[in-house]
Amino acid sequence: QVQLVESGGGLVQPGGSLRLSCAASGFTLDYYEMAWFRQAPGKEREGISCILSNGNTYYAPSVRGRFTISRDNAKNTVYLQMTSLKPEDTAVYYCAATDRLVSAPLEHGDFDSWGRGTQVTVSS
């Protein structure tokens, strides 16, 4: 069974940092495109970052320059390093995976597997 499990969320002050992790099981991450989405209350799910199997990355304008996506294929894990966090970053963050090539903007329907999400709250 394919499973994605996010971790690392929590409460952080504006300007702070967090690193989210997504542990994958049931498939080999090496050949998959991995992405992070987020969803705030009352808002649509937003694709914020993606890392392709060849290492190329994409960032939505809302997080570009502040967030960094990376992957460790040996650990079957993808990460999202978040810095300079803003209250507007408050959301549930989801990890997603697909074995098909994707392009910007990231769309919910492009991804086959999803984690349950981890809450990130940015507040003073």
Side-chain angles (χ1 to χ4, degrees):
Q1 292 182 310
V2 175
Q3 187 174 23
L4 301 174
V5 180
E6 303 95 337
S7 62
L11 175 64
V12 64
Q13 293 184 340
S17 300
L18 284 174
R19 188 178 76 158
L20 305 183
S21 298
C22 173
S25 62
F27 68 99
T28 301
L29 183 147
D30 307 47
Y31 305 107
Y32 281 71
E33 286 67 48
M34 305 295 295
W36 288 95
F37 286 70
R38 66 185 182 185
Q39 188 166 25
K43 302 293 183 65
E44 294 185 351
R45 192 167 296 189
E46 174 192 17
I48 58 171
S49 188
C50 181
I51 183 165
L52 304 183
S53 59
N54 64 10
N56 288 345
T57 58
Y58 161 80
Y59 300 94
S62 58
V63 306
R64 191 172 297 145
R66 299 187 297 120
F67 292 8
T68 302
I69 191 170
S70 62
R71 64 197 297 159
D72 186 338
N73 290 343
K75 296 181 178 179
N76 241 32
T77 300
V78 64
Y79 304 94
L80 185 68
Q81 179 67 50
M82 306 184 294
T83 63
S84 301
L85 284 163
K86 306 174 181 179
E88 307 91 85
D89 296 319
T90 296
V92 177
Y93 284 70
Y94 298 90
C95 180
T98 182
D99 61 357
R100 298 180 290 274
L101 287 174
V102 297
S103 60
L106 300 177
E107 299 289 347
H108 175 92
D110 292 333
F111 292 85
D112 303 313
S113 301
W114 295 83
R116 289 184 175 273
T118 185
Q119 176 71 47
V120 173
T121 302
V122 185
S123 176
S124 59

